[in-house]
Structure formats: C-alpha cells, structure tokens
C-alpha cells in the first residue's frame, strides 16, 4: 500500500502536544521575561482573586443545584417537543457571550421587562450590574450545560436497575437512595468542575456586567494590567494564579468524585417512571421555568433587533465578513490539531499528550495573545498581527472541546479497525481518506461547528489591539458603549444568526459525510 506524504503517527501528535505545551507555558514565560520577572500582587489584585473564586463557586453550585430537578424532570417525562427542548439546551453554550448579555439586559436591565413590571407594581428595581449580574449571566450560560450532563447521568443508569427496583416494590425515596444519589455523587463533581472552570476564566461577562473593582475577575484584572497599566509582571503573576486555581479545582473534583458502580446493562433505553400528582406538577414547573429563563433573553433581543438588520451601517457588515473568515480559519486549524492529537491518543499515546491538549482550559487567552505578540514583535507590528494572533488563539482555546468529541470516537476506530489497517499497511493519506475521515465525520463536524461558533462570538484578545479592524463581537461591544442600543440589538441578532449557521453547517456536513 502507498504511504502518504503526511503520515498519521503518534510522533506527529506528540510534536503537536509539545508545541501546544510550549505555547501555553512559553507565552506566560515571555510576558514575565519582558517584565523582568513577576510582580507582587496588590490588595485590589487579591480582591479580584477572591471575587473570582467566590463567584465561580457560587455560579457552579447554583447551576448544578438548579439543574438537578430540571434534568430529573426531563429524564422521567415524555411530551411533545421534548427532543427540541433538549437540543435547545445546547444553544447557550455556542451563543456569543456578548449577545447573551444583551438579552439579559433586555430582560433584567434598568429598562428591561422585569424592572418595568416592578416599577408598575411599586416595587424597588433590581440592578444587573455587579456581582449579581455576573452570577446571573454565568448561571444562564451553564445551567443548560449542567442539565445536559446530569441528564446523561440519569440515562446511563442501566434500565435493568429500574426494573429490578420496580419488581422489589421500591418507593420513590428508595430509588433516590439506591440509584439516583449514587449517580449524582459520581456525576456532580465533574459537572461542578466544568462550570467552575468556565466561570473561573470569565472575561466578557465581567467586562460588561462587573460594575467596577468590586466585581473584577482575574481574567479582567489581566486585561486591565495589559490595557491600562501595561504592568506585564502583574499580568504574568495573575496568569500563574489562574492556572493554579484551575489545577487545584481539577484535583479537588477528582478526589471528591465517587463511582456509582451500577455495573453493565444490556444497553436498553433507560427511563424513570413518571409518577403523577404533585410530582408531575413539580416536573412541569421545573421544565417551564428553565425554558423561560433560557429562551426569554434570546427571544427579547431577537424581537428587538431583527427589524433593524437591513438598517445596519456598512462597518457592521465589514466586521461580519471579517469575523466569518476568521472563524472558518480558526475552525479549520482546530479540526486539524484535534484530529492529530486524538489519533495519537487513540494509538496509545502517552498520558501527557492528552494533558497538553487540555492545557488551554486553564490558560488565559489574554496572556497567550500578549505572549505571542512579544515573541513575534520583530516580525510585524501589533496591529498587523492582531487578527492572525486572534485566529490562532481561538483555534487553541477550542481545542479541548474538539478533543472531548473526538477522543472516544478515535479510540473506537482504532480498536475496531486499527490492526486491520496496520496489517494492510494503510498509512498516510490513504488511511486518512479511506478510514479516518469517513468514520470520524460526525465528531469532526461537531468539533468544527463548535470551534467556528466559539470563534465567531469571541471577545477576548481582539479587545487589546485591533480597535481599527473590529470583529463583529467587538463592534457590538462598541455600539453598546456608545449607547446605540437599537443598532446593537440588530448587530446581536446578526451575530447570533451567523454563529448558529456556522455550527449547523459544520455539524450537518459531518452527518451527511
């Protein structure tokens, strides 16, 4: 068999993993070196560290606790539109953060629907700015993620266990004690950790809703150190603190998690028995409230902005084209890197390869971007490198999510067909074209769609340098700061539509391949 020009082997994946680790750690070192070392943190920095930990703990805990009754209701109820609702629960994860913030302001802001109702009733208004706004936005983003993960836990309980419980005459409290609580002990630490890590590295939410120094996250403090103080030593020290917090959270979750130990089943569909009475009403209320909380802000910004899309100024459309091109390039890079790493891991790659692939989860994209600017400053000006560096950072930050989608499928592929392909000397492009791409098309499409949507809605590194070439999220943020809320709403709808369209095109393409 002919060997391709680009062989897919473990050393290639190892080289990419090593380069990724060097990039994450090297950019941090570059920032510290440029600053002649790390700087001590002041009182306001430690206040930002404390607020970051506090709001991440509260946000993760509230998201996980609220998700339990919603996931349980979805696990034991069947109704028209259930599949659509479960699918829509994934929408906030790919929804651009700045668009969701606009939606939340439309509902909970000073001129929002909720405050209008409170004023009409003679009650005091609420403010979305400050710690309460940060936590509200984080729960909005992470409640659906928590519901999906916990729902998978319920569905993973073998159906035979429920049938056995029914044959033994178990009451609902007995099922909760022997089946549901062990599952939650196994699943909840991972759910909590995933949400905690997202909230720990939050930037856009704190930038838009933080409301001042008392509600500043570490990531926002890094941005302020770069943008306003140009204190690289303090930024590097804050970046190290953020990595340490993420690693400590991972270790804590791994220590707390207890396997459920249900054993294997016959892979039959698992379903809780849907009891009537007050439990039916409670399940219906949980599903209705969750759906309203998640869909109301999206609907509010859509109704407000949709009619004004044709009236958007030309610079918004220029930013949209720029963002689409950047998102497509980022998605392509993320797919290539994820595929190479996943194949290397599936073929028995060292444990550190997977660890390196997960490193972007704990890294600050602002530190990564600034470190790249420092390393490449002799090549071009920061303004000229702003868009290429943003593309690269977006691809790297999407890499862990692509790996989570690809690694299980790549391991199945290697287990089912690896030895046969090796015996036929199928390597390189031949193996890629005839075996890998057809079998991994679906997870590749999903990973590409996720990377494109996340890159389309990113408001991170671009805020530091490229104000004269804004992406669509940055243009939306500029419109909000200029109080051009009508144009901002239309821009938000456009950004949301493009993000969902990119995800659908990649995901659909993978399903049709």
């Amino acid at each position: 068999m002919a060997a391709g020009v680009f062989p897919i082997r473990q050393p290639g994946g190892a080289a990419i993993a090593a380069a990724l680790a060097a990039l994450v750690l090297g950019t941090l070192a570059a920032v510290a070196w440029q600053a002649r070392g790390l700087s001590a943190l002041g009182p306001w920095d430690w206040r930002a560290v404390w607020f970051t930990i506090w709001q991440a703990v509260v946000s993760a805990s509230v998201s996980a606790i609220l998700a339990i009754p919603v996931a349980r209701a979805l696990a034991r109820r069947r109704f028209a539109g259930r599949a659509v609702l479960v699918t829509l629960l994934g929408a906030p994860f790919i929804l651009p953060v700045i668009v969701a913030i606009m939606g939340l302001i439309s509902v909970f802001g000073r001129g929002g629907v909720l405050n209008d109702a409170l004023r009409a009733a003679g009650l005091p208004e609420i403010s979305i700015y400050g710690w309460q706004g940060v936590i509200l936005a984080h729960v909005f983003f992470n409640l659906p993620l928590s519901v999906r993960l916990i729902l998978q836990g319920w569905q993973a309980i073998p159906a035979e266990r429920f049938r056995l419980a029914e044959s033994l005459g178990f009451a609902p409290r007995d099922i909760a004690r022997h089946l549901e609580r062990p599952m939650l002990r196994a699943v909840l630490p991972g759910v909590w950790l995933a949400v905690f890590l997202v909230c720990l590295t939050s930037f856009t939410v704190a930038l838009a809703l933080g409301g001042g120094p008392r509600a500043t996250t570490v990531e926002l403090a890094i941005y302020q150190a770069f943008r306003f103080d140009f204190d690289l030593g303090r930024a590097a020290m804050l970046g190290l603190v953020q990595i340490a917090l993420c690693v400590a959270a991972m270790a804590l979750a791994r220590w707390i998690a207890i396997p459920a130990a249900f054993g294997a089943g016959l892979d039959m569909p698992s379903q809780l028995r849907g009891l009537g009475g007050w439990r039916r009403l409670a399940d219906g209320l949980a599903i209705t409230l969750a759906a309203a909380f998640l869909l109301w802000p999206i609907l509010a910004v859509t109704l407000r902005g949709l009619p004004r899309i044709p009236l958007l100024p030309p610079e918004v459309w220029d930013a949209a084209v720029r963002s689409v091109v950047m998102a497509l390039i980022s998605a392509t890079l993320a797919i290539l890197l994820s595929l190479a790493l996943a194949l290397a891991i599936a073929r028995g790659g060292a444990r550190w390869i997977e660890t390196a692939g997960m490193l972007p989860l704990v890294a600050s994209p602002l530190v990564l971007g600034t470190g790249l600017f420092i390393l490449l400053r002799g090549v071009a000006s920061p303004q000229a490198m702003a868009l290429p560096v943003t593309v690269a950072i977006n691809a790297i930050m999407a890499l862990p999510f692509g790996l989570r989608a690809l690694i299980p499928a790549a391991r199945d592929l290697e287990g089912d067909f690896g030895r046969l392909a090796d015996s036929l000397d199928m390597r390189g492009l031949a193996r890629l074209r005839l075996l890998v791409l057809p079998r991994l098309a679906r997870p590749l499409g999903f990973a590409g769609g996720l990377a494109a949507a996340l890159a389309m809605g990113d408001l991170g590194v671009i805020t530091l340098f490229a104000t004269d070439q804004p992406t669509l999220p940055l243009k939306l943020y500029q419109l909000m700061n200029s109080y051009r809320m009508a144009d901002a709403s239309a821009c938000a709808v456009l950004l949301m539509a493009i993000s969902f369209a990119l995800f659908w095109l990649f995901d659909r393409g993978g399903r049709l391949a």
Side-chain angles (χ1 to χ4, degrees):
M1 290 289 176
V5 180
F6 303 104
I8 302 174
R9 301 191 187 99
Q10 179 182 326
I16 292 175
L20 186 63
L23 177 65
V24 172
L25 301 177
T27 49
L28 182 61
V31 173
W33 172 80
Q34 178 68 20
R36 302 284 195 271
L38 301 173
S39 297
L41 300 183
W44 286 108
D45 297 318
W46 288 114
R47 182 184 290 271
V49 172
W50 165 246
F51 175 76
T52 300
I53 298 172
W54 175 80
Q55 63 82 23
V57 169
V58 174
S59 299
S61 301
V62 171
S63 299
I65 291 171
L66 294 181
I68 294 174
V70 180
R72 187 181 188 186
L74 290 172
R76 65 183 180 182
R77 301 296 171 188
R78 296 295 181 268
F79 52 89
R82 177 184 179 277
V84 175
L85 179 60
V86 173
T87 301
L88 288 176
L89 286 176
F93 189 72
I94 61 173
L95 182 70
V97 178
I98 193 67
V99 175
I101 289 172
M102 277 229 45
L104 291 172
I105 291 174
S106 298
V107 175
F108 300 99
R110 179 172 298 176
V113 178
L114 183 59
N115 274 323
D116 288 344
L118 291 175
R119 280 193 294 269
L123 298 174
E125 301 179 22
I126 61 172
S127 174
I128 196 175
Y129 299 100
W131 63 267
Q132 63 271 23
V134 173
I135 293 175
L136 176 69
H138 284 160
V139 173
F140 173 82
F141 281 111
N142 296 295
L143 176 62
L145 174 64
S146 303
V147 170
R148 290 289 294 269
L149 293 175
I150 297 175
L151 179 60
Q152 289 175 9
W154 249 294
Q155 293 172 340
I157 300 176
E160 293 79 13
R161 305 299 179 269
F162 287 113
R163 292 184 179 180
L164 178 61
E166 187 173 354
S167 68
L168 293 174
F170 274 22
R173 63 177 179 274
D174 299 318
I175 294 176
R177 176 184 176 185
H178 295 287
L179 293 179
E180 295 176 338
R181 290 175 191 166
M183 179 275 296
L184 290 174
R185 281 201 305 268
V187 171
L188 276 181
V191 174
W192 189 90
L193 173 64
V195 178
F196 181 81
L197 290 178
V198 171
C199 299
L200 202 66
T201 57
S202 175
F203 171 68
T204 306
V205 169
L207 180 66
L209 299 177
R214 294 183 180 276
T216 297
T217 61
V218 171
E219 191 73 10
L220 184 55
I222 293 173
Y223 168 77
Q224 293 168 347
F226 281 135
R227 180 77 174 179
F228 302 111
D229 304 330
F230 201 68
D231 189 342
L232 299 183
R234 184 161 62 91
M237 188 64 187
L238 287 167
L240 274 177
V241 169
Q242 182 166 289
I243 291 175
L245 291 176
C246 293
V247 172
M250 291 179 180
L252 178 63
R254 181 170 296 183
W255 177 67
I256 292 176
I258 301 174
F262 289 125
L266 298 177
D267 294 332
M268 299 178 65
S270 179
Q271 181 181 354
L272 279 169
R273 184 175 56 179
L275 301 176
W278 68 269
R279 292 185 178 87
R280 181 185 296 274
L281 293 176
D283 289 347
L285 183 62
I287 294 172
T288 301
L289 290 177
F293 174 63
L294 296 173
L295 299 180
W296 191 7
I298 299 176
L299 183 62
V301 72
T302 301
L303 293 177
R304 184 177 182 181
L306 190 60
R308 292 193 57 87
I309 288 182
L311 304 178
L312 284 172
E315 59 265 23
V316 173
W317 295 102
D318 293 340
V321 172
R322 189 178 301 115
S323 290
V324 170
V325 173
M326 294 172 62
L328 292 175
I329 297 174
S330 292
T332 303
L333 288 174
I335 288 174
L336 294 175
L337 294 174
S338 300
L339 181 60
L341 288 175
L343 291 175
I345 293 167
R347 300 201 73 184
R351 182 78 175 269
W352 70 269
I353 296 179
E354 185 172 354
T355 302
M358 295 294 117
L359 272 180
L361 282 177
V362 303
S364 165
L366 298 178
V367 173
L368 286 176
T370 305
L372 280 177
F373 279 113
I374 292 173
L375 294 173
L376 301 175
R377 61 182 175 177
V379 178
S381 66
Q383 288 72 25
M385 290 189 296
L387 297 184
V389 167
T390 301
V391 167
I393 297 301
N394 285 337
I396 292 169
M397 299 309 293
L399 189 57
F401 303 105
L403 281 179
R404 288 298 94 198
L406 281 171
I407 288 175
R411 282 175 172 156
D412 291 341
L413 171 70
E414 189 63 28
D416 294 340
F417 301 101
R419 291 184 180 179
L420 177 61
D422 290 339
S423 67
L424 295 174
D425 197 27
M426 184 184 292
R427 294 178 295 178
L429 291 180
R431 187 172 185 140
L432 181 69
R433 180 173 58 88
L434 299 176
L435 178 62
V436 174
L437 293 182
R439 304 294 301 185
L440 298 185
R442 286 199 173 195
L444 279 172
F446 176 79
L450 196 59
L454 293 176
M456 187 70 201
D458 177 67
L459 183 64
V461 179
I462 197 71
T463 59
L464 289 174
F465 302 99
T467 53
D468 58 337
Q469 287 186 305
T471 58
L472 195 55
L474 181 56
K475 189 64 184 176
L476 170 56
Y477 182 66
Q478 292 171 347
L479 290 172
M480 291 174 62
N481 281 344
S482 302
Y483 298 100
R484 296 167 58 184
M485 300 308 293
D487 285 341
S489 296
C491 185
V493 176
L494 179 63
L495 176 57
M496 178 171 57
I498 296 175
S499 298
F500 286 152
L502 286 175
F503 177 81
W504 182 85
L505 286 173
F506 274 91
D507 189 46
R508 182 66 174 170
R511 293 176 183 273
L512 294 177

